[in-house]
Amino acid sequence: MERAKLHFDLARLVARFLNGELTHEEYDKLKAWIEVNDKHRELWNRLTNQEYLESNLEFWRRRDDNQWQNLLKRIRKGEREKRRFVLRNAWPYAAILTALLLIGVVTKYFINGNNSNKANTLALAAKKNAGILPEGGVAQLILGDGRVVNLKGSHGQTIIEKDGTKVQNEKSVLKYFVVPDKQGSAVFNTLKVPRGGEYKVTLADGTNVWLNAATSLKYPTRFDGKERIVFLSGEAYFEVKHDAAHPFKVMIGNTVVRVLGTKFNVSAYKDDTKEMVSLIEGSVEVSRRKEGHKEGVVLKPGYSAIIGENEIAVNNDNENVKTTVAWKDSMFVFKNETLESIMKRLSRWYDVGIVYDDNVDKYIHFTGKVQKYESIDDVLHLIEMTNKVTFDITGREIRVKLNKTVPNEKWVTNGEEE
Amino acid sequence: MNQNFCFEDFRSGNEDAFRMIYEEYRTRLFYFASKYIPELEVAEDTVQEAFVKVWQKRCNFNDLDAVKAFLYISIKNQCFNFRKHSKVVHLYSNSHKEEIAEEEIMNHILESEVLDRVFKALEKLPRGCRDVMHLSYFEELKNKEVADILKISVNTVKTQKRRGLSLLKVVLKSFSFLGLF
């Protein structure tokens, strides 16, 4: 109890710090706590990280006003039916899940039993579970007033925004309709796709945007100004409605992609070091916002712009450009791509964590192609077939290990693999 | 907490006073429960159950901090019990550590409390001001660009930026601890 109260006090100090109200004495107190051990420092770093705060505050935007009524009913009747209901109902699910896991393991065992590489794959089968599948059509829509609507592809619904805009959700596509009797100025909406999900949105101007996993797009409910501006974090494929009078701009960090009407892919994950714009059709200008001046390149179809810290590089590998948009067509394609980059993409799509053993070379290159709605086992198996690495799956964590069954082979780190 | 709140009312069985406590704490407690139980319905239910208990024992509390501490501890206990029962599932999900250090619980409490305070501070900002701050600091747009997007004058942008609390600047812009002190 006393320890809990101490932490209420600490929380007050952290909040005062974020608020810029912390006094010197309070700061000393807070600092003393942070320096006790690494766990404290770690927590402190999280609590003062913008992205962490923003994403976790989603919880506070959920509104469910029935909760109080439920509680009132319960205290008035002193009843606890609901609680028992929830707990009792969890049991059958647990049983089914266990059964599925067992079936998974057993099936794997039999399938792999016929394999020539017996000893190896049997061990592998026992370690793996039923297979991690992506979630697919799920997303969150954050409305202008901060309300959050959970979207499910299978679940049709219509939302009316404050300015009168009608938003329709059907079959993993979100669609904006501008209504003639619009009220007030346009408001910003944000579509957030979690790890393991993907979604498509048709904006008010008819532009189509496919959002990949772990991606968020912010846009107005309608485009009233001279320019059509949207903000992207993550990866998305755009098919922009042609309208020469109203240029379309995608803002990604300090980079602006300016287009008239065209098809292109943008990859701008914050945990990647580079942003990449790949053009399929039409023409785009990629430039950076900097004090006083602008530097930019104009892309032609089949070209990619790779935006690094100090420069924008242009690449004209047409095949590569096609590969970058394969995700939109439910494929997972990697062409001469490093293990690290492949695993990063897998971790977003299957919502898994990746851990490497120290002796694993993350920069081996692989080439391959799989259906992305299949279980993660398929793609991992494909990589394992090259005999370079093996994978251990525990829960939602994947450990990448050196394949020790191949005796001391000299590594080829920059060549293309089978 | 709402200014009209009176602890004695709550102790004497006033439902409105109880509701104020509930509305004040429910979200952070729900967040706290979700740290242990990913099934949100179950997590939400532990929160309700804790409040039912608080209501039954309302005469034993002397102040709000005592109520709050009781709520956190009660939820923690329920979460652990639930995880024990559903061991079958968790055995396969790598999270069957029964013993969670006291330290970790305290850190989760701290985190829930801080997030709640940050959210409430942000809520106090007027809507227009929040938009300006977001575009200016998070999207790093220039005043002119912000004005174009929101269709307001550059001067309004400037005023709104001044009005924005330093909190938002801090929350919306990553910074390092060392860089500030």
Side-chain angles (χ1 to χ4, degrees), chain A residues 1 3 11 19 40 44 46 50 52 54 56 60 64 67 74 76 83 87 91 101 144 218 289, chain B residues 15 22 31 48-49 69 78 82 85 92 102-103 110-111 116 127 134 138 141 166 171-172 177:
Chain A
M1 175 73 104
R3 285 206 64 188
N19 223 340
H40 288 184
W44 167 256
R46 256 190 293 148
Q50 164 235 322
Y52 187 80
E54 283 236 320
N56 282 286
W60 272 256
D64 187 354
Q67 290 297 334
R74 275 166 82 175
R76 280 183 182 164
R83 176 179 166 73
L87 288 179
W91 275 103
L101 289 174
K218 184 171 170 179
R289 284 181 281 165
Chain B
E15 282 174 356
Y22 175 70
Y31 178 79
Q48 291 243 333
E49 183 64 19
Q78 289 182 69
F82 176 77
H85 285 297
Y92 288 91
E102 164 109 5
E103 168 116 44
L110 176 58
E111 182 173 335
D116 196 74
R127 179 75 221 171
H134 186 88
F138 188 46
L141 294 189
S166 59
V171 172
L172 293 180
F177 176 62

Side-chain angles (χ1 to χ4, degrees), chain B residues 31-76:
Chain B
Y31 178 79
F32 174 72
S34 76
K35 290 271 163 191
Y36 299 103
I37 301 186
E39 297 92 334
L40 292 188
E41 270 171 54
V42 183
E44 185 114 50
D45 197 61
T46 64
V47 176
Q48 291 243 333
E49 183 64 19
F51 273 102
V52 172
K53 283 191 187 133
V54 159
W55 182 250
Q56 287 162 350
K57 294 177 196 284
R58 60 184 178 273
C59 300
N60 303 344
F61 297 109
N62 291 323
D63 56 39
L64 271 177
D65 266 2
V67 172
K68 189 159 75 171
F70 176 89
L71 286 165
Y72 273 115
I73 304 301
S74 161
I75 287 168
K76 184 253 329 179

Side-chain angles (χ1 to χ4, degrees), chain A residues 321-384:
Chain A
V321 165
K322 279 188 199 148
T323 310
T324 58
V325 296
W327 65 267
K328 174 179 87 64
D329 303 314
S330 301
M331 294 302 291
F332 196 81
V333 181
F334 40 100
K335 196 168 163 273
N336 204 14
E337 193 172 329
T338 64
L339 179 63
E340 187 185 33
S341 160
I342 294 170
M343 295 313 286
K344 218 179 227 174
R345 284 166 62 193
L346 288 179
S347 83
R348 288 182 197 122
W349 179 237
Y350 290 99
D351 190 15
V352 291
I354 311 288
V355 191
Y356 295 89
D357 272 359
D358 286 342
N359 55 1
V360 171
D361 180 356
K362 297 183 202 171
Y363 302 103
I364 329 167
H365 289 61
F366 292 98
T367 296
K369 186 174 175 180
V370 279
Q371 298 276 351
K372 72 174 194 178
Y373 273 91
E374 297 297 332
S375 131
I376 195 170
D377 286 1
D378 281 26
V379 56
L380 293 184
H381 190 64
L382 197 70
I383 299 173
E384 271 174 345

Side-chain angles (χ1 to χ4, degrees), chain A residues 205-270:
Chain A
D205 64 340
T207 291
N208 287 315
V209 189
W210 283 258
L211 278 70
N212 204 345
T215 294
S216 127
L217 183 75
K218 184 171 170 179
Y219 46 85
T221 46
R222 55 172 202 270
F223 299 97
D224 290 342
K226 281 188 300 237
E227 294 178 323
R228 298 173 282 169
I229 298 180
V230 300
F231 301 90
L232 175 76
S233 153
E235 179 165 31
Y237 172 74
F238 290 84
E239 286 185 5
V240 175
K241 190 90 176 170
H242 184 83
D243 181 357
H246 300 91
F248 194 94
K249 280 186 176 178
V250 184
M251 307 283 199
I252 37 171
N254 283 325
T255 308
V256 188
V257 184
R258 188 174 176 278
V259 299
L260 298 175
T262 184
K263 297 177 181 172
F264 61 102
N265 190 72
V266 180
S267 176
Y269 283 107
K270 290 201 174 126

Side-chain angles (χ1 to χ4, degrees), chain A residues 6-51:
Chain A
L6 170 78
H7 284 78
F8 298 159
D9 275 343
L10 281 168
R12 198 176 47 84
L13 294 185
V14 178
R16 282 175 64 80
F17 166 77
L18 292 172
N19 223 340
E21 298 166 350
L22 205 64
T23 66
H24 278 288
E25 288 133 57
E26 286 174 326
Y27 166 60
D28 289 340
K29 223 167 139 187
L30 191 56
K31 199 173 165 213
W33 177 81
I34 294 165
E35 283 168 357
V36 171
N37 62 32
D38 282 351
K39 283 246 164 70
H40 288 184
R41 178 164 291 278
E42 209 178 282
L43 178 65
W44 167 256
N45 286 340
R46 256 190 293 148
L47 290 177
T48 48
N49 175 288
Q50 164 235 322
E51 266 181 53

Side-chain angles (χ1 to χ4, degrees), chain B residues 71-125:
Chain B
L71 286 165
Y72 273 115
I73 304 301
S74 161
I75 287 168
K76 184 253 329 179
N77 289 338
Q78 289 182 69
C79 289
F80 284 15
N81 282 338
F82 176 77
R83 281 166 43 140
K84 229 184 279 169
H85 285 297
S86 53
K87 212 190 259 169
V88 203
V89 182
H90 289 287
L91 209 62
Y92 288 91
S93 68
N94 198 28
S95 59
H96 56 286
K97 256 191 266 160
E98 276 315 318
E99 295 304 317
I100 292 177
E102 164 109 5
E103 168 116 44
E104 192 188 317
I105 297 159
M106 290 303 152
N107 286 349
H108 282 157
I109 292 181
L110 176 58
E111 182 173 335
S112 312
E113 289 285 304
V114 169
L115 284 171
D116 196 74
R117 282 170 184 273
V118 169
F119 182 75
K120 281 173 182 149
L122 285 177
E123 284 292 279
K124 281 191 197 135
L125 291 177

